[in-house]
Amino acid sequence: MNSFGKRMRHVISEKGISFKQASEDLGISLNGISNYINDRRIPGVDLISEFCRIYSVDPKWMLFGEEYTNDSDHENLLRENERLKHHIEILENLITKLKVN
């Protein structure tokens, strides 16, 4: 989904609510929702924030169409996981040696 309006329409559809209900939830007119979902206008930061809060949507995805974590974040987590596994092995070996002595 390459536009804000398409992402907004998608969320409303996925939540199974009407555009009328979304407009009431956000405290705006039905015409306002129509302008946003048809990409005629882009809402302000406060409305975007409220939309994301009400419908549990990642703001980064709403604004840019991206997931919050990117590949480098994922790679960093994998590296950290491997590093921690290595430390656990060292500790387990030390515990085993201490038990033997």
mmCIF file of all heavy atoms in Angstrom, residues 2-9 33-42:
data_model
loop_
_atom_site.group_PDB
_atom_site.id
_atom_site.type_symbol
_atom_site.label_atom_id
_atom_site.label_comp_id
_atom_site.label_asym_id
_atom_site.label_seq_id
_atom_site.Cartn_x
_atom_site.Cartn_y
_atom_site.Cartn_z
ATOM 1 N N ASN A 2 0.823 1.964 -1.058
ATOM 2 C CA ASN A 2 1.774 3.044 -1.222
ATOM 3 C C ASN A 2 1.227 4.429 -0.918
ATOM 4 O O ASN A 2 1.849 5.415 -1.258
ATOM 5 C CB ASN A 2 2.366 3.019 -2.629
ATOM 6 C CG ASN A 2 1.292 3.105 -3.687
ATOM 7 O OD1 ASN A 2 0.126 3.253 -3.387
ATOM 8 N ND2 ASN A 2 1.692 3.007 -4.933
ATOM 9 N N SER A 3 0.091 4.529 -0.284
ATOM 10 C CA SER A 3 -0.397 5.855 0.096
ATOM 11 C C SER A 3 -1.020 5.794 1.489
ATOM 12 O O SER A 3 -1.509 4.747 1.926
ATOM 13 C CB SER A 3 -1.423 6.380 -0.907
ATOM 14 O OG SER A 3 -2.669 5.751 -0.723
ATOM 15 N N PHE A 4 -0.986 6.943 2.144
ATOM 16 C CA PHE A 4 -1.582 7.026 3.473
ATOM 17 C C PHE A 4 -3.055 6.637 3.425
ATOM 18 O O PHE A 4 -3.536 5.864 4.257
ATOM 19 C CB PHE A 4 -1.419 8.448 4.034
ATOM 20 C CG PHE A 4 -1.988 8.584 5.404
ATOM 21 C CD1 PHE A 4 -1.200 8.306 6.506
ATOM 22 C CD2 PHE A 4 -3.305 8.943 5.597
ATOM 23 C CE1 PHE A 4 -1.729 8.393 7.792
ATOM 24 C CE2 PHE A 4 -3.843 9.035 6.869
ATOM 25 C CZ PHE A 4 -3.048 8.765 7.975
ATOM 26 N N GLY A 5 -3.779 7.178 2.440
ATOM 27 C CA GLY A 5 -5.207 6.897 2.329
ATOM 28 C C GLY A 5 -5.512 5.412 2.171
ATOM 29 O O GLY A 5 -6.452 4.894 2.774
ATOM 30 N N LYS A 6 -4.701 4.711 1.381
ATOM 31 C CA LYS A 6 -4.916 3.273 1.195
ATOM 32 C C LYS A 6 -4.656 2.514 2.491
ATOM 33 O O LYS A 6 -5.382 1.568 2.822
ATOM 34 C CB LYS A 6 -4.029 2.737 0.076
ATOM 35 C CG LYS A 6 -4.501 3.165 -1.289
ATOM 36 C CD LYS A 6 -3.612 2.632 -2.382
ATOM 37 C CE LYS A 6 -4.111 3.133 -3.730
ATOM 38 N NZ LYS A 6 -3.221 2.821 -4.809
ATOM 39 N N ARG A 7 -3.634 2.934 3.246
ATOM 40 C CA ARG A 7 -3.364 2.272 4.531
ATOM 41 C C ARG A 7 -4.495 2.548 5.518
ATOM 42 O O ARG A 7 -4.922 1.654 6.250
ATOM 43 C CB ARG A 7 -2.008 2.719 5.071
ATOM 44 C CG ARG A 7 -0.849 2.152 4.266
ATOM 45 C CD ARG A 7 0.503 2.457 4.887
ATOM 46 N NE ARG A 7 0.875 3.857 4.805
ATOM 47 C CZ ARG A 7 1.434 4.436 3.757
ATOM 48 N NH1 ARG A 7 1.684 3.726 2.666
ATOM 49 N NH2 ARG A 7 1.763 5.715 3.787
ATOM 50 N N MET A 8 -4.998 3.775 5.523
ATOM 51 C CA MET A 8 -6.101 4.117 6.422
ATOM 52 C C MET A 8 -7.348 3.305 6.060
ATOM 53 O O MET A 8 -8.007 2.733 6.930
ATOM 54 C CB MET A 8 -6.401 5.616 6.350
ATOM 55 C CG MET A 8 -7.406 6.087 7.366
ATOM 56 S SD MET A 8 -7.631 7.883 7.251
ATOM 57 C CE MET A 8 -7.715 8.299 8.981
ATOM 58 N N ARG A 9 -7.645 3.228 4.779
ATOM 59 C CA ARG A 9 -8.790 2.439 4.308
ATOM 60 C C ARG A 9 -8.618 0.967 4.714
ATOM 61 O O ARG A 9 -9.554 0.311 5.168
ATOM 62 C CB ARG A 9 -8.925 2.558 2.801
ATOM 63 C CG ARG A 9 -10.097 1.782 2.219
ATOM 64 C CD ARG A 9 -10.086 1.805 0.700
ATOM 65 N NE ARG A 9 -10.228 3.125 0.148
ATOM 66 C CZ ARG A 9 -11.390 3.665 -0.216
ATOM 67 N NH1 ARG A 9 -12.501 2.974 -0.102
ATOM 68 N NH2 ARG A 9 -11.433 4.875 -0.724
ATOM 69 N N ILE A 33 -13.088 11.894 6.716
ATOM 70 C CA ILE A 33 -12.573 10.527 6.493
ATOM 71 C C ILE A 33 -12.451 10.265 5.004
ATOM 72 O O ILE A 33 -11.457 9.729 4.524
ATOM 73 C CB ILE A 33 -13.487 9.468 7.156
ATOM 74 C CG1 ILE A 33 -13.275 9.433 8.659
ATOM 75 C CG2 ILE A 33 -13.269 8.079 6.576
ATOM 76 C CD1 ILE A 33 -12.012 8.746 9.125
ATOM 77 N N SER A 34 -13.471 10.652 4.261
ATOM 78 C CA SER A 34 -13.457 10.452 2.813
ATOM 79 C C SER A 34 -12.261 11.149 2.168
ATOM 80 O O SER A 34 -11.594 10.575 1.301
ATOM 81 C CB SER A 34 -14.764 10.973 2.207
ATOM 82 O OG SER A 34 -14.728 10.859 0.807
ATOM 83 N N ASN A 35 -11.973 12.356 2.601
ATOM 84 C CA ASN A 35 -10.813 13.081 2.064
ATOM 85 C C ASN A 35 -9.510 12.346 2.354
ATOM 86 O O ASN A 35 -8.622 12.296 1.507
ATOM 87 C CB ASN A 35 -10.744 14.500 2.636
ATOM 88 C CG ASN A 35 -11.755 15.424 2.012
ATOM 89 O OD1 ASN A 35 -12.169 15.239 0.872
ATOM 90 N ND2 ASN A 35 -12.178 16.428 2.764
ATOM 91 N N TYR A 36 -9.402 11.767 3.545
ATOM 92 C CA TYR A 36 -8.166 11.067 3.918
ATOM 93 C C TYR A 36 -8.009 9.746 3.160
ATOM 94 O O TYR A 36 -6.949 9.465 2.611
ATOM 95 C CB TYR A 36 -8.114 10.814 5.422
ATOM 96 C CG TYR A 36 -8.129 12.071 6.253
ATOM 97 C CD1 TYR A 36 -8.838 12.140 7.439
ATOM 98 C CD2 TYR A 36 -7.443 13.216 5.842
ATOM 99 C CE1 TYR A 36 -8.859 13.296 8.202
ATOM 100 C CE2 TYR A 36 -7.460 14.380 6.597
ATOM 101 C CZ TYR A 36 -8.164 14.410 7.780
ATOM 102 O OH TYR A 36 -8.179 15.557 8.533
ATOM 103 N N ILE A 37 -9.072 8.933 3.131
ATOM 104 C CA ILE A 37 -8.938 7.619 2.496
ATOM 105 C C ILE A 37 -8.819 7.714 0.978
ATOM 106 O O ILE A 37 -8.339 6.787 0.334
ATOM 107 C CB ILE A 37 -10.080 6.651 2.888
ATOM 108 C CG1 ILE A 37 -11.418 7.176 2.423
ATOM 109 C CG2 ILE A 37 -10.067 6.372 4.382
ATOM 110 C CD1 ILE A 37 -12.559 6.194 2.605
ATOM 111 N N ASN A 38 -9.234 8.837 0.420
ATOM 112 C CA ASN A 38 -9.097 9.045 -1.024
ATOM 113 C C ASN A 38 -7.886 9.904 -1.369
ATOM 114 O O ASN A 38 -7.752 10.366 -2.507
ATOM 115 C CB ASN A 38 -10.381 9.656 -1.594
ATOM 116 C CG ASN A 38 -11.518 8.651 -1.546
ATOM 117 O OD1 ASN A 38 -11.396 7.549 -2.067
ATOM 118 N ND2 ASN A 38 -12.608 9.014 -0.894
ATOM 119 N N ASP A 39 -7.019 10.116 -0.391
ATOM 120 C CA ASP A 39 -5.766 10.863 -0.573
ATOM 121 C C ASP A 39 -5.959 12.287 -1.089
ATOM 122 O O ASP A 39 -5.099 12.821 -1.783
ATOM 123 C CB ASP A 39 -4.804 10.091 -1.491
ATOM 124 C CG ASP A 39 -4.267 8.850 -0.812
ATOM 125 O OD1 ASP A 39 -3.818 8.951 0.349
ATOM 126 O OD2 ASP A 39 -4.299 7.771 -1.434
ATOM 127 N N ARG A 40 -7.074 12.887 -0.734
ATOM 128 C CA ARG A 40 -7.275 14.294 -1.094
ATOM 129 C C ARG A 40 -6.653 15.213 -0.047
ATOM 130 O O ARG A 40 -6.315 16.345 -0.339
ATOM 131 C CB ARG A 40 -8.762 14.602 -1.255
ATOM 132 C CG ARG A 40 -9.355 13.964 -2.515
ATOM 133 C CD ARG A 40 -10.769 14.444 -2.779
ATOM 134 N NE ARG A 40 -11.720 13.989 -1.784
ATOM 135 C CZ ARG A 40 -12.525 12.933 -1.927
ATOM 136 N NH1 ARG A 40 -12.487 12.214 -3.038
ATOM 137 N NH2 ARG A 40 -13.361 12.595 -0.986
ATOM 138 N N ARG A 41 -6.522 14.685 1.174
ATOM 139 C CA ARG A 41 -5.889 15.420 2.271
ATOM 140 C C ARG A 41 -5.118 14.440 3.130
ATOM 141 O O ARG A 41 -5.425 13.250 3.152
ATOM 142 C CB ARG A 41 -6.945 16.120 3.140
ATOM 143 C CG ARG A 41 -7.651 17.255 2.435
ATOM 144 C CD ARG A 41 -8.580 18.027 3.363
ATOM 145 N NE ARG A 41 -7.814 18.638 4.451
ATOM 146 C CZ ARG A 41 -8.317 18.909 5.645
ATOM 147 N NH1 ARG A 41 -9.571 18.624 5.922
ATOM 148 N NH2 ARG A 41 -7.594 19.480 6.571
ATOM 149 N N ILE A 42 -4.138 14.956 3.851
ATOM 150 C CA ILE A 42 -3.398 14.150 4.825
ATOM 151 C C ILE A 42 -3.683 14.736 6.195
ATOM 152 O O ILE A 42 -3.548 15.952 6.388
ATOM 153 C CB ILE A 42 -1.888 14.160 4.536
ATOM 154 C CG1 ILE A 42 -1.620 13.489 3.192
ATOM 155 C CG2 ILE A 42 -1.116 13.452 5.650
ATOM 156 C CD1 ILE A 42 -0.180 13.494 2.774
#
